[in-house]
Amino acid sequence: MRAPTTTVRVFMIIGAVIAVAMGVLALFRPIVADDTLAILMEVGFIVYGVVCVVQYFSSLHQPGNSVATLILGLVLIAIAVIMLAREDWALETMMSFVSLFVIMSAMMGFDTAMDLNQAGDPTWVFDLIMSIILFLAGAMMVVNIFYRPVEELVNTAVFVGIVLIVDGIYEFIAALRLKDQS
């Protein structure tokens, strides 16, 4: 049987790969048909949502576990279900959900940084800096989505792609830093 920490690490790596893949798609193929992008995002949100829920329940008593992880997972699953029900939603709506994902991920990173600081781990500063960067990027995404004309959303899609890649790399690094509990 796998240790809970190993299971969490595997799910974190899966989530990181999904975020990077979605980011690369948005970065290099920003004019992909709305239907294709919507389907990929729905699948990505469902898988990553399940990853977050499993991660939360498989590490209930470990430092760094956060209710924000559970909330993020449930929100992502709900967003995917709503997107499946409303196929006529535009790219702006999907990007707003991605910005919510990035902001929630930043909040989880901040929570992890505070836990690591209390545990005396010197790497907490990395988590703090990354969570601040991701939060600001998520906030910029919201501003770009709601205050730019639709014609400029391709630029926003490229920005979203960059943010998702950064978030995925951060999640991958966090997974590699996770230590097995004995």
Side-chain angles (χ1 to χ4, degrees):
M1 184 168 136
R2 285 188 171 165
T5 307
T6 304
T7 303
V8 169
R9 184 181 300 122
V10 167
F11 281 114
M12 287 175 73
I13 290 171
I14 290 169
V17 169
I18 290 169
V20 169
M22 289 173 57
V24 167
L25 178 69
L27 184 62
F28 293 109
R29 301 287 298 199
I31 307 179
V32 172
D34 288 347
D35 293 338
T36 305
L37 186 57
I39 290 169
L40 290 173
M41 293 186 105
E42 290 159 2
V43 170
F45 282 175
I46 289 171
V47 171
Y48 197 71
V50 170
V51 164
C52 288
V53 170
V54 170
Q55 178 182 343
Y56 174 77
F57 285 111
S58 66
S59 62
L60 279 175
H61 303 293
Q62 293 183 8
N65 190 27
S66 169
V67 175
T69 305
L70 176 63
I71 293 169
L72 175 63
L74 295 174
V75 166
L76 287 173
I77 293 169
I79 288 169
V81 169
I82 291 169
M83 287 172 63
L84 282 167
R86 296 289 313 259
E87 293 179 9
D88 58 328
W89 281 13
L91 186 60
E92 300 97 328
T93 306
M94 288 184 284
M95 287 187 183
S96 65
F97 290 140
V98 172
S99 64
L100 174 67
F101 164 77
V102 170
I103 290 170
M104 291 287 293
S105 181
M107 291 168 52
M108 289 172 24
F110 181 78
D111 190 50
T112 300
M114 295 301 100
D115 287 345
L116 290 172
N117 185 27
Q118 287 179 343
D121 189 333
T123 62
W124 73 273
V125 175
F126 172 76
D127 287 279
L128 179 65
I129 292 170
M130 286 302 296
S131 64
I132 291 170
I133 289 170
L134 286 172
F135 183 82
L136 293 174
M140 286 175 54
M141 286 167 42
V142 170
V143 169
N144 279 332
I145 290 165
F146 292 110
Y147 294 106
R148 285 185 174 233
V150 176
E151 301 82 40
E152 294 184 24
L153 279 177
V154 170
N155 294 333
T156 304
V158 170
F159 180 71
V160 168
I162 293 168
V163 171
L164 282 172
I165 291 169
V166 170
D167 183 52
I169 291 170
Y170 168 62
E171 188 77 15
F172 184 77
I173 292 169
L176 294 180
R177 290 180 24 220
L178 194 63
K179 296 180 178 132
D180 286 321
Q181 303 291 322
S182 302

